[in-house]
Amino acid sequence: MPRVFSGIQPSGELHIGNYLGAVVNWVALQFQHECIYCIVDLHAITQPYDTATLAPRTLEMAVGLLAAGLDPSRCTLFVQSHVPQHAELMWLLNTVTPLGELERMTQFKDKSARQESVPAGLLNYPILQAADILLYKADRVPVGEDQLQHLELSREIARRWNTRFGVETFPEPQPMLSPTRKILGLDGQAKMSKSLGNTIGLLDSPEEIWAKLRPAMTDPARKTRKDPGNPEICNIFTIHRAFSTGEQVTHVDAQCRSAGWGCLDCKRLLADNMIAALAPVRERAAELRARPERVREVLGDGAAHCRALAEATLVEARQVMGLQAP
Ligand code: TRP
């Protein structure tokens, strides 16, 4: 069975952007692959962050992922810092990664431009990501488009290692692009992201969902109720595709183009479908929040499983590098 690995930042609550863009796919994959999913807290600390909320955000992310349908009997879920081998392999890979490759990563350029003092961890972020994947010799890595460059670097690091030491230690991981279209934030401009405050939370109440959806950006050409719209460029229509039936989507499309419906009519149907689809997720999240020891147990089991897999790879990697065995 092919092995899948992916990671997500401990941003706290999931929103419908990362739910539709990543998590729905993660849930589907656990039925055909051996899946390992990681909450990447060591990546999160490469940017300014709040120490007091990192641990609760990590736990909350686990709650969201489990509520969304990750099943601990079908996949492994763990927290990156609970498996120290990630940091160790990162150091080893560090020695075969060209500095120039790191400096040309677009995420590094973006993020470092916004910081006065750039920590080395931000530059080395993609090496840690390569370590995450290579530690488990993962074959496939489900990611969004924004991670393709990092994944290409992981492949390059695997190749360089194999060439340098003359052994095929690491297979080259293949990206798997998520099948859903990219969901923009409610502003219709930027990517949906918690830090931009343009999200609908996966666990939002029906009232919150409607309050956020109602003022959301649609096709700017629909200035008045009578102006026809173009669903192809409307972010709300993209979200409809994910939550509404095929028939409803066709209907919404026609009503938008003919100005038969106003944007609010369209959003009301979407809100109803979204609320119905997310109700069981909210329910499971409430159950899990009431039993935090169960969530910790899942993460503990996941980390124990991963430490064993990871140590086997590291024994091999240290030996290939010629390090003295203890
Ligand atoms: N950098 C990824 C992101 O921000 C998260 C990540 C870390 C990851 N390690 C990974 C994704 C390994 C895939 C595989 O989305």
Side-chain angles (χ1 to χ4, degrees):
M1 219 182 345
R3 186 179 276 172
V4 163
F5 183 97
S6 197
I8 192 163
Q9 300 254 358
S11 55
E13 204 192 298
L14 284 164
H15 54 68
I16 59 161
N18 42 34
Y19 175 67
L20 298 174
V23 181
V24 169
N25 194 28
W26 287 17
V27 172
L29 287 170
Q30 63 185 344
F31 297 95
Q32 309 115 17
H33 297 79
E34 180 193 349
C35 296
I36 304 178
Y37 299 127
C38 179
I39 303 175
V40 293
D41 54 352
L42 297 176
H43 278 107
I45 59 176
T46 58
Q47 283 204 281
Y49 73 100
D50 179 23
T51 54
T53 57
L54 179 58
R57 280 185 280 122
T58 303
L59 210 61
E60 184 57 24
M61 181 52 75
V63 166
L65 291 170
L66 295 169
L70 288 193
D71 175 353
S73 70
R74 294 191 175 274
C75 71
T76 301
L77 176 65
F78 75 107
V79 175
Q80 193 181 29
S81 65
H82 296 176
V83 181
Q85 286 86 354
H86 287 249
E88 185 178 348
L89 182 61
M90 188 240 155
W91 180 256
L92 304 184
L93 298 179
N94 199 31
T95 64
V96 299
T97 308
L99 183 58
E101 294 286 319
L102 297 171
E103 285 168 337
R104 65 176 196 83
M105 292 291 116
T106 52
Q107 285 207 349
F108 171 71
K109 288 196 270 187
D110 284 356
K111 289 181 183 173
S112 59
R114 283 187 258 129
Q115 261 163 272
E116 221 169 89
S117 159
V118 179
L122 197 59
L123 180 70
N124 291 330
Y125 180 114
I127 314 182
L128 181 59
Q129 183 161 346
D132 294 342
I133 301 165
L134 301 182
L135 205 42
Y136 304 100
K137 304 190 181 190
D139 308 289
R140 315 247 168 99
V141 184
V143 283
E145 295 222 9
D146 65 326
Q147 293 299 315
L148 285 180
Q149 198 185 29
H150 285 162
L151 210 70
E152 188 46 53
L153 183 57
S154 297
R155 294 158 56 82
E156 164 89 12
I157 291 173
R159 270 195 301 272
R160 285 194 182 242
W161 172 288
N162 294 341
T163 312
R164 164 70 182 85
F165 301 111
V167 212
E168 289 289 307
T169 313
F170 300 117
E172 286 181 36
Q174 306 296 326
M176 287 175 109
L177 271 182
S178 163
T180 35
R181 295 187 183 203
K182 184 156 132 194
I183 309 278
L184 295 176
L186 298 176
D187 50 11
Q189 305 284 319
K191 173 177 163 173
M192 189 174 279
S193 144
K194 189 151 186 232
S195 57
L196 297 174
N198 61 4
T199 65
I200 293 182
L202 192 60
L203 307 176
D204 279 355
S205 68
E207 297 73 33
E208 285 170 311
I209 291 178
W210 179 239
K212 290 177 182 177
L213 212 48
R214 200 183 37 193
M217 187 64 175
T218 56
D219 175 359
R222 294 202 76 175
K223 289 199 191 64
T224 73
R225 170 68 183 75
K226 293 203 172 62
D227 296 323
N230 176 7
E232 289 309 318
I233 62 160
C234 180
N235 189 42
I236 296 298
F237 186 71
T238 310
I239 308 178
H240 255 297
R241 289 185 199 266
F243 286 101
S244 303
T245 65
E247 238 169 78
Q248 287 173 328
V249 169
T250 311
H251 188 64
V252 165
D253 183 287
Q255 294 300 316
C256 177
R257 290 179 198 276
S258 66
W261 275 13
C263 291
L264 273 184
D265 302 314
C266 168
K267 287 170 173 176
R268 189 63 251 180
L269 176 65
L270 175 58
D272 291 342
N273 289 342
M274 200 185 276
I275 289 164
L278 299 182
V281 180
R282 279 186 83 209
E283 233 166 82
R284 279 195 295 271
E287 285 165 23
L288 288 162
R289 282 213 196 90
R291 295 176 59 204
E293 71 292 344
R294 172 68 192 130
V295 179
R296 280 177 216 281
E297 186 191 18
V298 168
L299 295 176
D301 292 349
H305 176 63
C306 287
R307 277 193 297 268
L309 296 175
E311 185 53 25
T313 303
L314 263 176
V315 165
E316 203 183 325
R318 291 186 203 108
Q319 192 209 343
V320 161
M321 287 190 100
L323 295 165
Q324 164 74 52

